[in-house]
């Protein structure tokens, strides 16, 4: 009987484990779903007028395609290889992969051994849909049959053939150099124009395989454009000139009709779509070498569009069913953003982009996600943002390709990003497109070097060239102390609090009307009179004494200034109690923003921690701390350089991330690390890592009271009991805070999270969540538990006695440390009635974990971020429904999901006709293919991954 009983238990346990595994599959599932933002380091641009699809290639080997909002596709080369050209092949978009051009690569390489000879420099996708012309560095033009990619050797245009056809008077048949451009005759597809780097242009007849006309330019060739009537060719040259050549008629020698140098000596690209002429570059090097311009000339109107970064490429969108009508929009890809100009509205305003928005207009310093935004707050934020965007064109987005098959988002989500210039940007993160809604600037509260009357978008009247600034990318910061470090938004009350680099904490309220007011600062002295400390960091920001007019939107009404003015490391708002708590490396405080006074200030500074007084931007000569200080020295440059270029943004961001991620003792081999006691003399032990409000049991098990909890880098947890006056006396009677508990973790590991669980083991609801009937009231009958999350373990204590109940050690398993933690609800895919709460955890190894509540057991683990990507790990933010975001570059968020039910990903369809291509297909329609899903969407990709010799 005993053996039988034991076997029964074993079988029962096995059955329970199998059932639990099934439940896990219904709750959890890891997916990287979509990349938000602007592609990092774009290198190529393509467009299909017929499909209305935009393609962007990057230096890392990615190909991204965009149609209408929500229509997105992405491909990535297996190797880190730059994409230098992207072309849609007419009628051949059917079933290719990123390795489509492996065959032609081997073919070319086997016939012409020297890689320099066969490196592709120009590509022409012939309108017939049957041919692909590849111009090379050696001057040869290879003709390839598609879709099979078979070289037509007998039709290749060798350099020798062309050289023999060149007239003797053209420089004694000097070297023609590489093929710079290939163009098809818009009215006679049998003819193609070959432009060589030395300047000569040849019109070649594909049928007779002979040259029919020569254009004897002598200046280095930059670009060529064949006018749509086929009668003229425009060429641009290295001396800054562009020329117009007549090519109609039987004369084998073309005549130059016009040559003009608009500005000065600088290479430029020319494009003409009547009645517009577009010139890229051409600025005098000496005076405007730092400008990135496209000049638009229409009749007597001449504007030099001055972009924020280097121009990659541009194209023009045209009206009409065949896309041969009037020009409607100019699309320009620059290194840091995509700009679309409305050519049909007076003044040529910019059309706001629904995707590809440069998240890094100013470097991102922090982020904050808020789920399930109430409709009223959503509409008010959207309205405030609409008032900011009156300078944009009213025209709809011109690229409309494909269909967005993704279902409507189940809720409205906001992603808030803080930036180095003191702005907070609100993004619609509900679906595939991360759409800009509203921008808040905090710089107006303080005195900075900026002049509010400056308007960089307007050039001086009569100025030549007639510059006009376009684009929103702005790499400059008036003062690095403005940088936003922490954000907390209450979606129920409309209160927002943001904290910055120089110890400033602003409390803001949403207002639908403009208001003029003065913001007075309340100083919080976190040193509390301790002697022997001298702050060596940056000074505080000076507050404007005169009233400031704030536009509709979030308007500041209260300001707390920490002294010393160190970076704010923790921030939490409780809008029901009208309290905000903040922490730095010196201590934490509690502020009553209704009565505008300090309730509590607590110094947590260790007397031996002199490093905390140095400030995050100063230089400290310490060999022991040399690694940490190297990052600090990088950040110091932000103070010394009031205006610094965007090239430093990535380096500064990484330094900030490393400083935040490695506030505890640096470990160069964390995998080998076990839990070890830390010395109380370690640096930054007093730094406040987390702050938490809770209505729970502190003094006894029968009376619950409001409380404040603070966790530090030295493993200390401080609990304060708060006494709030009755609602009717809230504006007069003071709020008080009394010390109640203090916990010191044995190993002094940094505390990164604090959570109170109710009698049912559920996390306490957010402030005002129960009042809005969006959460059930917490169970106040059973005993509450305190969960303290350190970098090394999850430990549960009973309340109010604070005795250890259970724990889960993380570090002892694989050396991981907790870097980010959040609370999420995971719904089942099998039924809408079941779900579980859990902790979402990101470690310094880049792994994601889900830990169950209240049992504190590890459920699933997934690799997500490379462990070397310290900046990406430090930037991660979790949502309340099991999703997350992290930066994969300074301009891109990667979105991921740990939930099997809650997944936001693009689902797109592009339908095309299967008509037989016509031999007189116009140039404006170089496509006509079919594609269905991300796995079958096809364009031809040209880059070093497919042509190993095709490099930048």
């Amino acid at each position: 009987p005993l053996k039988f009983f034991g076997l029964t238990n074993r079988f029962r346990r096995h059955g329970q484990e199998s059932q639990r595994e099934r439940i896990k599959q219904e709750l959890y599932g890891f997916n990287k779903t979509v990349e938000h933002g602007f592609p990092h380091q774009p290198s190529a641009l393509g467009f299909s007028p017929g499909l209305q699809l935009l393609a962007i290639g990057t230096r890392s080997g990615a190909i991204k395609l965009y149609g209408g909002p929500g229509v997105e596709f992405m491909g990535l080369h297996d190797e880190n290889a730059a994409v230098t050209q992207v072309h849609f092949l007419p009628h051949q978009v059917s079933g290719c992969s990123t390795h489509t051009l492996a065959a032609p690569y081997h073919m070319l390489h086997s016939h012409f051994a020297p890689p320099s000879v066969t490196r592709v420099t120009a590509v022409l996708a012939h309108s017939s849909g049957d041919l692909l012309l590849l111009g090379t560095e050696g001057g040869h033009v290879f003709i390839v049959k598609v879709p099979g990619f078979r070289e037509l050797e007998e039709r290749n245009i060798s350099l020798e053939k062309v050289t023999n056809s060149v007239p003797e008077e053209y420089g004694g048949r000097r070297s023609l150099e590489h093929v710079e451009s290939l163009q098809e005759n818009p009215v006679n597809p049998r003819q193609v124009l070959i432009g060589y780097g030395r300047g000569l242009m040849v019109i070649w007849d594909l049928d007779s395989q002979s040259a029919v006309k020569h254009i004897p330019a002598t200046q280095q060739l930059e670009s060529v454009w064949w006018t749509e009537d086929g009668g003229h060719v425009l060429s641009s040259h290295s001396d800054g000139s562009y020329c117009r050549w007549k090519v109609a008629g039987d004369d084998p020698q073309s005549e130059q009709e016009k040559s003009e140098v608009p500005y000065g000596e600088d290479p430029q690209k020319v494009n003409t779509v009547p009645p517009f002429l577009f010139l890229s570059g051409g600025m005098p090097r000496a005076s405007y070498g730092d400008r990135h311009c496209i000049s638009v000339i229409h009749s007597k109107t001449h504007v030099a569009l001055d972009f924020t970064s280097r121009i990659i490429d541009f194209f023009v969108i045209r009206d009409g069913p065949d896309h041969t009508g009037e020009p409607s929009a100019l699309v320009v890809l620059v290194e840091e953003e995509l700009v679309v100009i409305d050519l049909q509205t007076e003044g040529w305003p910019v059309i706001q982009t629904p995707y590809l928005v440069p998240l890094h207009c100013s470097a991102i310093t922090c982020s904050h996600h808020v789920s399930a935004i109430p409709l009223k707050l959503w509409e008010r934020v959207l309205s405030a943002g609409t008032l900011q965007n009156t300078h944009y064109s009213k025209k709809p987005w011109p690229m409309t390709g494909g269909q967005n098959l993704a279902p409507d988002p189940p809720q409205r989500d906001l992603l808030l990003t803080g930036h180095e210039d003191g702005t907070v940007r609100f993004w619609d993160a509900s679906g595939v497109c991360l759409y800009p809604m509203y921008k808040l600037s905090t710089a107006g509260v303080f005195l900075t070097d900026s002049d509010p009357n400056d308007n960089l978008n307007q050039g001086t009247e009569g100025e030549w060239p007639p510059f006009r600034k376009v684009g929103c990318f702005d790499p400059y910061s008036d003062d690095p102390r403005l940088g936003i470090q922490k954000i907390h938004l209450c979606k129920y009350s409309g209160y927002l609090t943001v904290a910055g680099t120089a110890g400033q904490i602003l409390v803001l309220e949403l207002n639908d009307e403009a208001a003029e007011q003065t913001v007075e600062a309340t100083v919080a002295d976190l040193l509390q009179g301790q002697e022997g400390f001298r702050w060596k960091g940056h000074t505080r920001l000076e507050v404007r004494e005169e009233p400031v007019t704030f536009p509709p939107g979030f308007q500041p009404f209260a300001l707390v200034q920490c002294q010393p003015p160190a970076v704010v490391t923790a921030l939490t708002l409780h809008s029901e109690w009208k309290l905000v708590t903040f922490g730095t490396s010196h201590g934490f405080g509690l502020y009553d923003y209704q009565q505008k006074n300090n309730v509590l200030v607590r110094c947590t500074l260790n007397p031996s921690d002199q490093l905390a007084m140095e400030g995050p931007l100063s230089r400290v000569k310490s060999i022991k701390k040399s690694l940490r200080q190297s990052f600090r020295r990088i950040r110091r440059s932000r103070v010394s350089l009031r205006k610094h270029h965007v090239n430093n943004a990535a380096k500064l961001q990484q330094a900030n991330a490393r400083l935040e991620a490695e506030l505890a003792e640096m470990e160069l081999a964390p995998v080998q690390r076990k839990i070890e006691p830390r010395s109380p003399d370690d640096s930054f032990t007093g730094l406040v890592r987390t702050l938490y409000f809770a209505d729970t049991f502190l003094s006894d098990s029968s009376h619950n009271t409001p409380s404040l909890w603070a966790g530090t880098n030295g493993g200390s947890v401080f609990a304060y009991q708060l006494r709030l006056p009755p609602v009717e006396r809230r504006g007069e009677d003071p709020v008080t805070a009394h010390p109640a508990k203090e916990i010191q973790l044995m190993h002094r590991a940094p505390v990164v999270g604090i959570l109170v669980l109710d009698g049912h083991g559920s996390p306490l609801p957010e402030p005002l969540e129960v009042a809005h009937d969006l959460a059930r009231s917490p169970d106040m009958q059973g005993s509450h538990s305190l969960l303290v999350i350190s970098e090394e373990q999850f430990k549960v204590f009973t309340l109010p006695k604070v005795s250890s109940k259970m724990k889960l050690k993380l570090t002892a398993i694989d050396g991981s440390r907790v870097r980010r933690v959040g609370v999420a609800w995971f719904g089942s895919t099998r039924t809408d009635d079941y779900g579980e709460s859990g902790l979402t955890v990101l470690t310094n190894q880049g792994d994601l974990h889900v830990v169950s509540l209240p049992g504190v057991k590890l459920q699933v683990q997934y690799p997500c971020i490379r462990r070397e990507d310290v900046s990406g790990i430090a930037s991660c933010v979790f949502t309340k429904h099991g999703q997350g975001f992290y930066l994969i570059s300074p301009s891109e968020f990667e979105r991921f999901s740990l939930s099997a039910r809650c997944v936001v990903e693009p689902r797109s369809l592009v339908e095309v006709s299967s008509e037989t291509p016509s031999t007189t297909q116009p140039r404006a329609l170089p496509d006509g293919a079919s594609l269905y899903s991300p796995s079958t969407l096809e364009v031809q990709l040209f880059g070093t991954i497919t042509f190993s010799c095709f490099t930048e």
Side-chain angles (χ1 to χ4, degrees):
L2 293 176
K3 289 184 179 179
F4 182 78
F5 179 75
L7 288 173
T8 302
N9 266 354
R10 183 180 301 173
F11 291 144
R12 182 179 299 149
R13 185 165 58 249
H14 177 72
Q16 291 173 347
E17 291 175 353
S18 299
Q19 182 181 7
R20 182 59 194 169
E21 290 301 317
R22 178 181 59 80
I23 293 175
K24 284 184 183 180
Q25 293 178 3
E26 295 169 356
L27 294 175
Y28 312 118
F30 175 67
N31 290 286
K32 291 184 179 181
T33 56
V34 65
E35 294 178 1
H36 298 298
F38 183 77
H40 185 50
Q41 295 182 329
S43 55
L45 176 67
F47 179 63
S48 167
L51 296 177
Q52 283 289 294
L53 292 178
L54 168 77
I56 295 178
T58 71
R59 291 175 60 183
S60 62
I63 291 287
K64 299 188 176 185
L65 281 83
Y66 303 89
V71 178
E72 298 185 13
F73 302 90
M74 178 183 171
L76 184 66
H77 289 91
D78 291 338
E79 300 176 17
N80 189 17
V83 177
T84 53
Q85 295 188 47
V86 180
H87 295 268
F88 287 83
L89 287 188
H91 317 289
Q92 297 297 333
V93 184
S94 56
C96 316
S97 70
T98 54
H99 298 287
T100 297
L101 292 184
Y105 155 65
H106 291 299
M107 172 184 61
L108 294 178
H109 208 267
S110 63
H111 282 78
F112 303 96
S116 61
V117 176
T118 56
R119 190 179 76 90
V120 176
T121 55
V123 178
L124 172 62
H126 197 266
S127 61
S128 65
D130 297 330
L131 300 178
L132 189 66
L133 281 71
L134 307 175
T136 65
E137 189 174 281
H140 304 285
V141 177
F142 297 94
I143 300 181
V144 177
K145 180 75 172 178
V146 290
F149 292 97
R150 179 174 57 89
E151 181 187 4
L152 303 179
E153 296 183 45
E154 69 282 359
R155 301 185 65 178
N156 285 345
I157 308 170
S158 69
L159 181 62
E160 183 180 4
K161 289 182 183 179
V162 175
T163 304
N164 290 336
S165 69
V166 175
E168 286 288 346
E169 59 268 21
Y170 184 76
R173 292 181 178 176
R174 58 181 179 171
S175 171
L176 302 182
E177 295 189 357
H178 64 280
V179 177
E180 179 66 38
S181 179
L182 290 170
Q183 293 283 323
E184 180 182 341
N185 190 331
V187 297
N188 184 359
R190 296 188 304 273
Q191 294 182 353
V192 295
L193 184 145
I194 308 170
Y196 291 93
R198 187 59 68 88
L200 177 70
M201 291 164 280
V202 176
I203 297 179
W204 189 268
D205 189 286
L206 296 176
D207 290 347
S208 65
Q209 300 183 42
S210 62
V212 297
K213 198 175 290 289
H214 299 88
I215 305 176
T218 57
Q219 292 291 336
Q220 193 79 14
L221 187 67
E222 294 295 332
S223 71
V224 178
W225 185 259
W226 208 327
T227 60
E228 59 185 11
D229 61 3
H232 294 85
V233 166
L234 294 179
S235 62
S236 63
H237 302 273
S238 59
D239 62 349
S241 66
Y242 72 93
C243 304
R244 180 182 176 94
W245 306 85
K246 183 179 179 181
V247 296
D250 298 329
D251 188 349
Q253 190 88 346
S254 295
E255 297 180 0
Q256 179 177 306
E257 290 188 347
K258 177 183 179 182
S259 178
E260 187 173 334
V261 182
Y263 305 116
E265 296 184 2
D266 194 48
Q268 63 181 7
K269 175 183 175 181
V270 63
N271 187 337
T272 178
V273 182
F276 287 87
L277 175 67
F278 304 94
L279 300 171
S280 174
M283 293 293 155
R285 294 186 184 95
S287 303
Y288 304 107
D290 59 342
R291 302 272 189 156
H292 313 283
C293 296
I294 291 180
S295 296
V296 183
I297 302 173
H298 176 262
S299 185
K300 295 183 179 181
T301 305
H302 186 142
V303 173
L305 301 175
D306 187 8
F307 293 89
T308 57
S309 53
R310 184 174 65 89
I311 296 168
I312 304 298
D313 205 351
F314 68 92
F315 62 83
V316 178
I317 298 178
R318 306 179 69 171
D319 286 339
D322 295 331
H323 310 286
T324 57
E326 290 291 318
S328 61
L330 171 66
V331 181
V332 185
L333 176 66
V334 297
E335 277 190 330
E336 305 295 350
E337 61 183 316
L338 183 79
V339 180
V340 181
I341 307 293
D342 178 6
L343 297 176
Q344 296 182 338
T345 301
E346 185 179 358
W348 300 335
V350 173
I351 301 175
Q352 188 172 21
T353 57
Y355 46 70
L356 291 172
V357 182
L359 306 177
H360 63 317
C361 289
S362 174
I364 295 176
T365 50
C366 66
S367 54
H368 174 66
H369 188 274
V370 187
S371 301
I373 302 295
L375 178 59
K376 185 176 180 180
L377 176 65
W378 185 270
E379 291 177 341
R380 294 177 69 191
V381 172
L382 197 59
S383 175
T386 302
L387 295 175
Q388 295 177 335
N389 297 330
T390 55
H391 60 285
Y392 284 113
S393 169
K394 306 302 181 189
K395 288 288 185 69
W397 184 242
M399 280 161 282
T400 58
Q403 302 176 37
N404 181 11
L405 303 181
D408 292 334
Q411 60 189 25
R412 294 169 293 273
D413 291 349
L414 274 178
L415 179 67
L416 283 68
T417 53
H419 297 264
E420 191 180 47
D421 62 355
T423 59
V424 178
R425 298 171 192 263
F426 289 62
W427 308 88
D428 177 358
S430 311
V432 173
C433 292
L434 196 63
Y435 187 78
M437 294 179 63
Y438 166 72
K439 182 180 78 171
L440 163 70
S441 177
T442 62
V445 179
F446 306 100
L447 294 171
T448 62
D449 293 337
S450 65
D451 184 351
N453 295 319
D454 285 346
N455 190 345
L456 300 179
N457 289 330
Q458 300 298 328
T460 305
E461 186 176 354
E463 178 186 18
W464 187 263
F467 291 116
R468 192 188 108 195
K469 200 79 174 177
V470 290
C472 62
F473 177 72
D474 184 5
Y476 302 107
S477 173
D478 294 320
D479 193 324
R481 295 174 297 173
L482 290 169
I484 304 297
Q485 298 296 329
K486 296 293 176 182
I487 305 170
H488 194 124
L489 170 68
C490 176
K491 60 186 178 183
Y492 304 110
S493 63
Y495 283 106
L496 170 71
T497 179
V498 297
T501 302
Q504 71 273 24
I505 299 99
L506 281 168
V507 186
L508 308 97
E509 185 176 14
L510 188 57
N511 192 343
D512 298 329
E513 302 292 336
E516 184 180 69
Q517 56 195 39
T518 302
V519 182
E520 297 182 359
T522 300
V523 176
D525 181 10
L526 295 177
L527 292 183
Q528 292 291 284
Q530 292 201 31
E531 299 179 357
F533 293 101
R534 185 170 62 90
W535 173 249
K536 302 176 183 178
H538 49 273
T539 59
R540 56 180 281 184
L541 285 162
E542 294 298 324
V543 182
R544 292 183 184 273
E545 297 181 356
E546 70 278 7
V548 179
T549 301
F550 297 102
F554 284 94
Q555 299 171 350
F557 65 91
L559 169 63
V560 182
Q561 178 60 59
C562 296
Q563 284 290 80
V567 174
V568 177
T569 57
L571 182 70
T572 301
L573 171 74
H574 200 297
S575 53
E576 187 174 1
W577 299 343
K578 300 291 192 296
L579 300 174
V580 61
T581 179
F582 51 89
T584 72
S585 55
H586 307 117
F588 60 93
L590 180 64
Y591 178 75
D592 179 352
Y593 62 80
Q594 181 172 352
Q595 297 187 22
K596 296 185 179 181
N597 57 34
N598 291 322
V599 176
L600 164 70
V601 177
R602 169 70 184 261
C603 180
T604 57
L605 191 65
N606 190 314
S608 63
D609 190 4
Q610 289 292 335
L611 194 59
M613 298 305 297
E614 299 290 350
L617 309 181
S618 64
R619 182 190 302 267
V620 180
K621 296 180 180 179
S622 169
I623 297 177
K624 179 180 178 182
K625 308 298 180 182
S626 61
L627 183 58
R628 185 183 293 113
Q629 301 319 314
S630 66
F631 301 134
R632 186 170 290 109
R633 285 193 294 271
I634 291 174
R635 296 189 66 198
R636 186 187 180 194
S637 65
R638 298 171 59 187
V639 168
S640 60
L641 298 177
R642 296 280 182 177
K643 301 284 186 179
H644 61 280
H645 194 266
V646 68
N647 291 341
N648 293 328
K651 185 183 295 184
L652 290 171
Q653 181 188 16
Q654 186 179 35
N656 288 337
R658 286 181 181 271
L659 181 64
E660 182 180 356
E662 301 297 338
L663 289 171
E665 181 181 350
M666 298 290 289
E667 288 289 343
L668 299 181
V671 174
Q672 303 172 2
R673 185 179 183 280
K674 304 298 181 183
I675 294 182
E676 300 172 354
R678 304 192 186 193
S679 168
D681 295 333
D682 282 351
S683 299
F684 292 108
T685 55
L687 185 142
V688 178
R689 294 287 291 270
T690 184
L691 293 162
Y692 180 70
F693 286 110
D695 188 353
T696 187
F697 301 94
L698 275 182
S699 56
D700 58 68
S701 57
S702 57
H703 298 90
N704 58 293
T705 59
S707 62
L708 168 65
W709 301 77
T712 72
N713 211 51
S716 297
V717 177
F718 303 97
Y720 280 78
Q721 183 174 329
L722 307 179
R723 298 191 183 277
L724 302 174
V727 176
E728 61 274 9
R729 299 287 303 170
R730 179 63 180 84
E732 294 81 23
D733 295 350
V735 178
T736 58
H738 306 280
K741 306 287 183 183
E742 186 171 336
I743 305 170
Q744 178 62 61
L745 298 183
M746 183 182 301
H747 301 291
R748 300 182 182 275
V751 178
V752 296
I754 297 174
L755 189 66
V756 171
L757 307 177
D758 68 7
H760 293 307
S762 300
L764 296 183
E766 296 180 9
L768 296 175
E769 193 173 14
V770 175
H772 285 75
D773 296 325
L774 296 174
R776 68 178 186 182
S777 299
D779 178 26
M780 310 301 285
Q781 303 301 319
S783 58
H784 284 197
S785 301
L786 172 69
L787 173 59
V788 177
I789 305 157
S790 72
E791 284 191 351
E792 300 171 342
Q793 65 182 1
F794 306 83
K795 195 165 186 178
V796 181
F797 298 88
T798 61
L799 287 177
K801 292 185 177 180
V802 193
S803 57
S804 180
K805 187 176 181 181
M806 66 180 78
K807 63 183 175 181
L808 170 65
K809 293 183 179 180
L810 187 68
T811 306
I813 301 173
D814 60 1
S816 297
R817 294 182 181 179
V818 176
R819 283 289 179 258
R820 288 287 182 269
V821 64
V823 179
W825 173 260
F826 295 92
S828 172
T829 56
R830 185 173 58 89
T831 173
D832 294 338
D833 299 331
Y834 183 76
E836 296 181 5
S837 291
L839 294 177
T840 50
V841 179
L842 176 67
T843 71
N844 64 331
Q845 307 293 306
D847 295 333
L848 291 169
H849 302 258
V850 176
V851 177
S852 65
L853 292 175
V856 194
K857 294 182 179 180
L858 186 62
Q859 300 298 302
V860 289
Q861 176 179 346
Y862 306 102
C864 180
I865 310 175
R866 292 181 300 106
R867 56 177 295 184
E868 298 83 11
D869 187 4
V870 180
S871 178
I873 293 172
S875 67
C876 182
V877 57
F878 290 113
T879 78
K880 298 294 185 182
H881 294 85
Q883 297 188 70
F885 303 80
Y886 68 93
L887 289 172
I888 55 175
S889 75
S891 59
E892 294 173 287
F893 273 114
E894 176 81 70
R895 187 174 191 146
F896 63 85
S897 176
L898 287 165
S899 170
R901 181 198 290 182
C902 186
V903 180
V904 175
E905 60 184 352
R907 297 182 182 180
S908 307
L909 170 68
V910 176
E911 294 181 306
V912 293
S913 61
S914 57
E915 298 176 0
T916 303
S918 168
T919 56
T920 59
Q921 182 79 13
R923 178 172 58 186
L925 280 171
D927 48 61
S930 67
L931 47 107
Y932 171 57
S933 68
S935 60
T936 60
L937 172 62
E938 310 313 333
V939 292
Q940 303 307 326
L941 317 180
F942 296 82
T944 52
I945 189 67
T946 52
F947 283 152
S948 63
C949 50
F950 196 71
T951 57
E952 292 182 316

